[in-house]
Amino acid sequence: MIDRLFKKLRVRDRLSETEERALREVIEGQDEIPAKQTMVKRGEPLDKSILLLEGMVCRYKDLRNGRRQISALHVPGDFLDLHGFTLKKLDHDVMTLSRCKVAYAGHKQLTTLTETFPHLTRMLWFTTNLDAAVHREWELSLGQRTGVARAAHLFCELYHRLKIVELVDGASFGFPVNQTELGECLGLTPVHTNRVLKELRERGLAQFKQATVTIGNLHELELLAEFEPSYLYLNSEPR
Amino acid sequence: MIDRLFKKLRVRDRLSETEERALREVIEGQDEIPAKQTMVKRGEPLDKSILLLEGMVCRYKDLRNGRRQISALHVPGDFLDLHGFTLKKLDHDVMTLSRCKVAYAGHKQLTTLTETFPHLTRMLWFTTNLDAAVHREWELSLGQRTGVARAAHLFCELYHRLKIVELVDGASFGFPVNQTELGECLGLTPVHTNRVLKELRERGLAQFKQATVTIGNLHELELLAEFEPSYLYLNSEPR
DNA sequence: CGTTATATTGAAGTGCGTCAAAAAGTGTGG
DNA sequence: CCACACTTTTTGACGCACTTCAATATAACG
């Protein structure tokens, strides 16, 4: 299961056997967490980072009026809070969307690792910068794309990210959220999210049903979303 | 001028004399860039990162219809593209807003630095994670805050960030953009940005005039924006 | 002082939100 | 296997925040 992390890294850079071993050594423990459970609360001091092995997780912030914005989604192979390694506490909450399997990397062990493996450190650093690149693309979506294009873009992004870790089945992938939570990713109300999904469905571009996305026409969907995968840094380059 | 970087870092962590010296040594060159000039183009290979010494810079992405989203603002003391150290090319453009002074840190030198100073490395890593924390707060703004609250929030953020590097003069600070560019930060059209500014002005909360923000009532402004400075990580903690 | 960029205002249109209700799906216990 | 409660999805009607289009006013500048 931890292999998904290596798949993710190897899409972006070379990872030596030694580095893989070193990384394996700092990943320890294994937990199962039920769905819809807060894993990390904002502000609480952190001494380890969480690697997602199975399931899906979100990070979010909310306002006093109860409106919530999901700022990031995580798929297997992602660290949920590697940024917490340097931040030491989070500015947001982390919640499981589905039942999840996770493992841990202690900050102490990570510190040791970074003192011994500079290139591996850059790769880990890279993954936190990759999260930031996704944040920027979401800012573009939230600020400038219409609801339909936002949903289309999110589906394209997840398709590509899940493909890397081999969690796409044909044109379908699991996305364990309801329409309310999907709306919280998109900055839309549940009602409008429903209408946006209806449009994508009727145009034959994508379908969202029972926590599963089925892409009807990837090319058209990407056109509509103006999806440019370069922000996912899918080409291997030395870091 | 480079001292602003150290001010920024020392608000967040201890920085030893040795570390300061080491960091000074990798910062070289000095350039002046005119206003509204693209400094880094998306996709172009990078071999150095840029430290902003004076002026203000933005990063942005745009869509085919010409709409643009500014995803980040940078103030003196910020690295503009330290994330480029691990990403090796950017997913967005970087543009000066005002006339700027900058210096450079070569990636080769940074690599050497990270192999010698693990704690300093974590501090640099931290600054890229801090940028991501700001991205998340902007996602919350763009997804869930009203136009007025978004503008209020941005003014609060800049006030606090500029305060650290001593660029706030009483209740005022320079913000070298026009209303169109401000709208591109906020995900609003120029016309609506103008109306939002009018409301803030008439409520006595903040004024934006001639590229200068003057805060009328910081407390009320923060309340309106639901501004919670914790995402700026202003408390010094060991990283 | 004219020229151009920027700010401001008005009027009308639209995407998305709100409120409310119905329909469909899901899970549980009998 | 059905009955019931609960969650989620879907639809309709209406309202509002923001956009669009267009015109005017003001500031910036050589």
Side-chain angles (χ1 to χ4, degrees):
Chain A
M1 280 311 125
I2 191 184
D3 289 342
R4 296 222 166 89
L5 168 61
F6 300 119
K7 284 201 176 86
K8 173 181 174 176
L9 292 176
R10 289 207 162 99
V11 168
R12 274 75 180 212
D13 193 1
R14 256 182 206 192
L15 181 75
S16 74
E17 291 297 316
T18 318
E19 286 170 331
E20 175 173 334
R21 227 174 301 121
L23 194 45
R24 267 182 202 281
E25 263 169 33
V26 307
I27 311 281
E28 49 190 23
Q30 183 142 339
D31 263 351
E32 293 213 19
I33 323 277
K36 316 298 172 190
Q37 186 155 314
T38 303
M39 299 192 64
V40 187
K41 277 216 187 66
R42 56 171 287 178
E44 79 184 3
L46 300 176
D47 63 349
K48 59 182 184 303
S49 288
I50 307 172
L51 172 65
L52 183 59
L53 301 176
E54 278 182 45
M56 219 177 267
V57 167
C58 72
R59 309 197 240 148
Y60 66 90
K61 294 188 151 194
D62 35 34
L63 296 178
R64 251 187 279 102
N65 64 8
R67 298 190 55 133
R68 162 183 302 188
Q69 180 64 40
I70 291 177
S71 61
L73 290 172
H74 286 297
V75 305
D78 290 350
F79 276 101
L80 306 180
D81 58 351
L82 187 55
H83 53 312
F85 173 54
T86 68
L87 296 173
K88 293 304 171 201
K89 62 189 180 201
L90 300 189
D91 51 303
H92 58 270
D93 293 330
V94 179
M95 182 182 79
T96 55
L97 291 169
S98 62
R99 179 171 184 72
C100 288
K101 283 189 190 160
V102 300
Y104 303 97
H107 288 179
K108 221 168 144 183
Q109 288 87 325
L110 283 173
T111 302
T112 309
L113 189 80
T114 59
E115 284 164 4
T116 326
F117 297 93
H119 173 257
L120 183 53
T121 303
R122 287 196 295 279
M123 288 182 73
L124 292 177
W125 187 348
F126 166 84
T127 65
T128 64
N129 287 339
L130 184 58
D131 284 347
V134 174
H135 286 326
R136 283 189 291 276
E137 191 65 35
W138 284 37
E139 286 180 84
L140 177 61
S141 271
L142 292 166
Q144 306 296 350
R145 287 189 174 94
T146 63
V148 180
R150 259 180 262 177
H153 194 280
L154 180 59
F155 290 165
C156 293
E157 175 182 310
L158 286 175
Y159 177 84
H160 285 270
R161 288 172 62 188
L162 287 168
K163 194 100 181 169
I164 296 168
V165 289
E166 295 171 9
L167 287 169
V168 175
D169 176 17
S172 297
F173 57 85
F175 186 15
V177 294
N178 59 32
Q179 294 185 7
T180 301
E181 292 157 340
L182 176 56
E184 288 168 348
C185 297
L186 302 174
L188 299 175
T189 56
V191 173
H192 198 67
T193 303
N194 182 276
R195 293 186 169 123
V196 155
L197 289 172
K198 183 180 179 184
E199 178 167 350
L200 288 179
R201 192 189 327 129
E202 287 176 349
R203 289 171 67 174
L205 299 178
Q207 195 165 350
F208 176 73
K209 209 177 164 185
Q210 290 156 201
T212 302
V213 174
T214 304
I215 310 254
N217 186 332
L218 184 60
H219 183 64
E220 287 296 321
L221 195 69
E222 291 186 344
L223 274 180
L224 170 64
E226 294 192 40
F227 180 79
E228 287 278 349
S230 57
Y231 77 98
L232 294 175
Y233 292 84
L234 298 173
N235 301 316
S236 174
E237 292 193 49
R239 307 279 159 203
Chain B
M1 279 313 123
I2 191 183
D3 289 341
R4 296 223 166 88
L5 168 61
F6 300 120
K7 283 200 176 86
K8 173 181 174 175
L9 293 176
R10 289 207 163 100
V11 168
R12 274 76 179 213
D13 193 0
R14 255 177 206 197
L15 181 76
S16 74
E17 292 297 316
T18 318
E19 287 171 331
E20 175 173 335
R21 226 174 303 121
L23 193 45
R24 267 182 201 283
E25 264 170 32
V26 306
I27 311 281
E28 49 190 26
Q30 183 142 337
D31 263 352
E32 293 213 16
I33 323 277
K36 318 295 173 192
Q37 186 155 313
T38 302
M39 299 191 66
V40 186
K41 275 215 186 70
R42 56 171 288 177
E44 80 184 3
L46 301 176
D47 63 349
K48 59 181 185 303
S49 289
I50 309 172
L51 174 64
L52 183 60
L53 302 175
E54 278 182 47
M56 219 178 269
V57 167
C58 72
R59 308 197 241 147
Y60 65 90
K61 294 189 150 194
D62 35 34
L63 296 178
R64 251 186 281 103
N65 64 7
R67 298 192 55 134
R68 163 183 301 187
Q69 180 63 41
I70 291 178
S71 61
L73 290 172
H74 286 296
V75 304
D78 290 350
F79 276 101
L80 306 180
D81 58 351
L82 187 55
H83 53 311
F85 173 53
T86 69
L87 295 174
K88 293 306 169 198
K89 62 189 180 200
L90 299 190
D91 52 302
H92 58 271
D93 293 330
V94 179
M95 182 182 80
T96 55
L97 291 169
S98 61
R99 180 171 183 72
C100 289
K101 282 189 189 159
V102 299
Y104 303 97
H107 288 181
K108 222 168 142 181
Q109 288 87 326
L110 282 173
T111 301
T112 308
L113 190 81
T114 59
E115 285 165 4
T116 327
F117 296 93
H119 174 257
L120 182 54
T121 304
R122 285 196 296 278
M123 289 182 74
L124 292 177
W125 187 348
F126 166 85
T127 65
T128 64
N129 287 339
L130 183 58
D131 284 348
V134 174
H135 286 325
R136 284 189 291 274
E137 191 65 34
W138 284 36
E139 286 181 82
L140 177 62
S141 272
L142 292 166
Q144 307 295 351
R145 286 188 175 95
T146 63
V148 180
R150 259 179 264 178
H153 195 278
L154 180 60
F155 290 166
C156 293
E157 176 182 310
L158 285 175
Y159 177 85
H160 285 270
R161 289 173 60 188
L162 288 167
K163 195 99 182 173
I164 296 169
V165 289
E166 294 169 9
L167 288 169
V168 174
D169 176 17
S172 296
F173 56 85
F175 185 16
V177 295
N178 59 32
Q179 295 186 5
T180 301
E181 292 158 338
L182 176 56
E184 288 167 347
C185 297
L186 302 175
L188 299 175
T189 56
V191 172
H192 198 67
T193 302
N194 182 277
R195 293 183 170 127
V196 156
L197 289 172
K198 184 181 180 185
E199 179 167 349
L200 288 180
R201 191 189 327 127
E202 286 178 350
R203 290 171 67 174
L205 298 178
Q207 196 166 350
F208 176 74
K209 209 178 165 185
Q210 288 155 204
T212 303
V213 175
T214 305
I215 310 256
N217 185 332
L218 183 61
H219 183 64
E220 285 296 321
L221 195 68
E222 291 186 344
L223 273 181
L224 169 64
E226 295 191 40
F227 180 78
E228 287 278 349
S230 58
Y231 76 99
L232 295 175
Y233 292 84
L234 298 173
N235 301 315
S236 173
E237 292 193 48
R239 307 279 160 206

